[in-house]
Amino acid sequence: METKTIARVNNVAILAGNDSEKLVPIKPICEALGIDRKAQQDKIREDEFLSSVGVLSTLTGADGKQYEMFCLPFEFIFGWLFTINPKNVKEEAQEAVRQYRIECYRVLYNHFFGNLKKQIEQNDKEIRLLEEITELSQQKTSILSSLSEKKRLLEKLREERLKNEPELF
């Protein structure tokens, strides 16, 4: 299976299979971060969800040779990386892992609160529009009532003017 570089972790090229699943081996990432591959593989296998997507696959390594590697689909790598504690990686990678986790927290917050915030803003706009409609409707009722009264007075005035009877007293 052909591979291609999809990211760099601590200046190490991370390869993924060039198939539709884009499988990413975890070993090079673990080595780049200085964490135990076996422990991470066990952690993935114990995870209720990740265990269902982690697979052994034959991929071409950076050296061009074929290796059987434990992999995750590309779309799940970011979630797995989020579970890595910066204290457990080698010192030169700790700050990058911390920053990555902070960014993940922000993305999650923006995703969930952003949707909630948008919904609140839309609800507020809807409430304002309903209030304006109610106010305009009340104004309309008042205007129609006033218009009706003015028409009645006009009709009364016309009737009086058209009466041809002189009034003495």
Side-chain angles (χ1 to χ4, degrees):
M1 179 184 301
E2 291 294 314
T3 59
K4 68 177 187 172
T5 301
I6 57 163
R8 295 190 89 60
V9 175
N10 210 24
N11 286 327
V12 174
I14 304 304
L15 305 175
N18 209 9
D19 63 345
S20 61
E21 291 184 2
K22 299 223 182 310
L23 295 174
V24 179
I26 66 162
K27 182 179 177 182
I29 297 172
C30 292
E31 289 173 350
L33 296 174
I35 55 178
D36 183 59
R37 178 215 35 98
K38 174 82 170 89
Q40 289 301 313
Q41 190 171 323
D42 291 343
K43 181 170 95 170
I44 291 168
R45 285 191 169 140
E46 291 169 8
D47 184 275
E48 183 179 359
F49 176 73
L50 289 178
S51 63
S52 69
V53 295
V55 295
L56 281 176
S57 183
T58 303
L59 296 174
T60 305
D63 61 3
K65 296 180 182 175
Q66 296 283 307
Y67 296 96
E68 188 170 77
M69 300 181 211
F70 186 77
C71 303
L72 287 172
F74 181 59
E75 67 182 309
F76 301 109
I77 286 293
F78 306 103
W80 164 63
L81 286 171
F82 183 63
T83 68
I84 296 173
N85 186 334
K87 294 178 186 175
N88 297 336
V89 303
K90 56 185 168 184
E91 192 172 332
E92 62 266 20
Q94 287 180 357
E95 186 56 29
V97 173
R98 275 189 205 92
Q99 290 304 313
Y100 174 79
R101 287 171 52 103
I102 289 168
E103 182 65 20
C104 287
Y105 280 117
R106 286 188 176 126
V107 166
L108 287 168
Y109 172 82
N110 288 332
H111 173 76
F112 290 106
F113 184 72
N115 287 342
L116 180 61
K117 184 179 175 184
K118 181 179 178 183
Q119 185 177 358
I120 289 169
E121 288 171 356
Q122 287 176 332
N123 288 347
D124 288 344
K125 286 178 183 177
E126 183 177 356
I127 288 168
R128 282 192 302 276
L129 285 171
L130 287 169
E131 288 171 344
E132 289 175 20
I133 289 169
T134 300
E135 183 180 330
L136 290 170
S137 183
Q138 289 170 348
Q139 288 175 6
K140 177 184 171 187
T141 301
S142 176
I143 289 170
L144 288 174
S145 175
S146 180
L147 182 62
S148 180
E149 178 62 20
K150 300 295 180 192
K151 284 180 179 180
R152 189 187 64 73
L153 289 172
L154 178 62
E155 191 61 34
K156 185 177 175 184
L157 182 65
R158 285 180 175 163
E159 282 177 13
E160 287 178 9
R161 184 178 45 129
L162 294 176
K163 272 189 202 176
N164 225 355
E165 301 172 7
E167 287 185 24
L168 297 175
F169 298 100

